[in-house]
Amino acid sequence: MSVGENVQLIMFDTTLRDGEQSPGVSLSVPEKLEIARLLARMNVDVIEAGFPITSRGDFEAVSTIAREIKGPVITALARTTAADIDAAWEAVKGAERPRIHTFISTSDVHMRHMLRRTPAEVLAMAVEGVRRARCYTSDVEFSAQDATRSDPAFLYQVFTAAIEAGATTINVPDTVGYTTPGEFYRLIRGVFENVPNIDRAVVSVHCHNDLGLAVANSLAAVEAGARQVECAVNGIGERAGNTALEEVVMAVKTRGDYLGVRTAIVTNYIYRVSRLVSSLTGIRVQANKAVVGANAFAHESGIHQDGVLKERTTYEIMQPQDIGLSGGRLVLGKHSGRHAFREHLLAAGYQLNDDELSRAFARFKELADRKKELTDQDIEAMVEEEIFPAPEVFRFEDFQVTSGNRAMSTATVRLSGPGREVSEAAVGEGPVDALYRAIDRAVGTSHRLLDYSLRAVTGGKDALGEVTVRVQDGAGVHTGRGVSPDILEASARAYLAAVNKSLAAAKARSAVAGEEN
């Protein structure tokens, strides 16, 4: 049954908050800011920039995004405690359009075992939290965590009280991905039918993907009348992730006739933001991922190929161009100038400052000398490596590797470090292992390699190799990325980038400890 309206759906992006809670993901402030900039250009309605009370770094990221990003509402998450709400406001108060998003659990299992509070106490905390947030801003969102496992009657009571206290958005989260589309539809209809003041608030949903139903549940909620969908780019987030922003947007664009809603999203930024988030988080997009996966517009079957060649719509319900995939080739080469390079990047959606452009152009020239043909995808991979450099504690100079199926792998690396140049050699189980052991010896630390991923940016024997690694030190996990026509060089660049992040983080922790002492 169609909703029968043509109203705008509010797209609430939580990539920088819930998305960053994905295991092993840690984004720097500049990385978060660049994602936020692209989300704003894509015309996302609300950006949840973080959870300020959790750390100094998260507070800094939220406050930076609040100051720098214009257009979308910028919101910060807070529990219903005074300290959380005060920190959230301090972080977002510089925003053009600030929001405080406060939450408390309402399910019996959460109240009994996690909060150790009675329903009456939870109700009072919800009201107190919303009232405190409303003292700072007129835009307050309230979430009932684990709503889909809550007693509906209690849920209606909490929502009614939260709206009365000043909440302007009411969020119904499927926190553990437990519900199903039909059940969620009925719950949302129940909210509309049993919360007497619901007309004073926007109904929002936030679905997790534990059973693979996050997008389906979100769309069922839209059919039931929800007008805000909370989601993340590529569906990243806690456990199995969140509702995927790109899937909801393209479902609405493709089936707006049925759903009766629209979004304000500029869809030709979808692939670009998907690629950026994948690159910075180190979480690869699976090939068969809807909308943005490598196979999303590929046709293997002869019957499908024949149909598409005769009429695209026989087997394609979306066009690659809808999400920003042109399929074109870069027409720049090693003789191209800086101005033409800048113009091409602007056309692709990259807005680089002078320093970033200089780094990217120098790397472009280097690659153009080493690779005969450069494609848009090559430039994309190279630019993203250059505009998000890891802290340069050590700089990669050169390396040499000897390896073979009957020979022991050895590697020598030369790095430039703080006031010195260092060379080290090591033996490993293979060329990459030897390289990484040599780098560890050169920087004087040891790191555990958690994940190593290699992909060809394009087809062909001279394709650029893009390597992403995750390493662990004593305090956390760090992601590094390297791009080169030589996969061993790409491997070395990726590992050193991650190691540099680890060393920079250790230095920052020491500085904070010094301040506190």
Side-chain angles (χ1 to χ4, degrees), residues 153-200:
F154 180 59
L155 194 64
Y156 306 149
Q157 183 183 4
V158 172
F159 283 157
T160 301
I163 295 170
E164 193 61 36
T168 50
T169 299
I170 291 296
N171 186 41
V172 188
D174 185 25
T175 305
V176 293
Y178 178 73
T179 196
T180 62
E183 182 181 46
F184 201 41
Y185 177 94
R186 290 189 292 273
L187 178 61
I188 300 303
R189 287 311 309 159
V191 169
F192 279 104
E193 293 162 3
N194 294 282
V195 176
N197 52 3
I198 197 64
D199 60 315
R200 289 159 49 187

Side-chain angles (χ1 to χ4, degrees), residues 232-250:
V233 174
N234 298 335
I236 64 172
E238 288 272 14
R239 304 179 313 279
N242 287 282
T243 301
L245 178 144
E246 62 281 355
E247 294 180 26
V248 172
V249 168
M250 293 310 294

